[in-house]
Amino acid sequence: MYDQPRPNQAPPAMTFDRMLERVRYEGAYPTAERAEEAVRAVLAALGRQVTGDERVDLAQALPVEAALALTAQIPDIEQLTGWGFVKDLAARTGTTPAIARWDTGAVLAVVARLAGPDLLARILNRLPDGYALLFGQAQLRRPEPAAA
């Protein structure tokens, strides 16, 4: 798995400053500093949930500063649901769940655009229920395994 070289991908089309501008717009934050706080907190939380090739590919799709915030975290052993993700972010940042949900939506809307539909679908497939809405996507039910 690790011995296969990855093809060199083009650097992200968005700079970190441009990403902060987009997040500031999405979240209607009063300052770029507030947008950066949200970006770093949400990406750190996401870095505790996303694993494997999806984590590597997402890091490659992000600006370097954002990728470092994502990959600086060690993935948790147990994945959280979407609501658990928001509650955990609120606890870690000392905010309310409503503010954590707002921050999550603003940041992950931009991350979804940077990731693109194929990578986003792979990420959502690996995460528990509830994350699609956080990324601004429709939450589709996963098919139940057929009983034998």
Side-chain angles (χ1 to χ4, degrees), residues 75-147:
D76 285 342
I77 294 171
E78 186 176 326
Q79 287 185 318
L80 301 171
T81 63
W83 178 236
F85 178 90
V86 170
K87 290 192 305 186
D88 182 63
L89 180 62
R92 289 177 187 266
T93 58
T95 61
T96 65
I99 292 171
R101 174 61 181 95
W102 184 271
D103 289 349
T104 299
V107 173
L108 294 185
V110 175
V111 169
R113 286 193 293 274
L114 287 170
D118 293 338
L119 176 55
L120 183 58
R122 288 178 30 222
I123 291 168
L124 292 175
N125 192 41
R126 301 260 324 239
L127 290 171
D129 285 339
Y131 281 88
L133 293 174
L134 299 179
F135 280 96
Q137 306 293 307
Q139 178 72 51
L140 302 176
R141 289 197 64 181
R142 295 182 185 176
E144 298 288 328

Side-chain angles (χ1 to χ4, degrees), residues 7-119:
N8 289 335
Q9 293 184 350
M14 186 180 288
T15 66
F16 188 62
D17 287 338
R18 181 73 177 126
M19 181 182 185
L20 293 180
E21 287 175 24
R22 295 299 314 152
V23 170
R24 184 176 178 192
Y25 176 80
E26 289 285 337
Y29 296 115
T31 65
E33 291 77 20
R34 177 63 185 96
E36 184 172 355
E37 288 173 16
V39 166
R40 292 189 185 281
V42 171
L43 288 178
L46 188 62
R48 289 187 288 276
Q49 300 301 309
V50 178
T51 60
D53 288 341
E54 289 75 21
R55 179 183 173 100
V56 172
D57 293 345
L58 180 58
Q60 287 179 339
L62 298 174
V64 172
E65 298 89 338
L68 291 173
L70 176 85
T71 59
Q73 302 302 309
I74 297 171
D76 285 342
I77 294 171
E78 186 176 326
Q79 287 185 318
L80 301 171
T81 63
W83 178 236
F85 178 90
V86 170
K87 290 192 305 186
D88 182 63
L89 180 62
R92 289 177 187 266
T93 58
T95 61
T96 65
I99 292 171
R101 174 61 181 95
W102 184 271
D103 289 349
T104 299
V107 173
L108 294 185
V110 175
V111 169
R113 286 193 293 274
L114 287 170
D118 293 338
L119 176 55

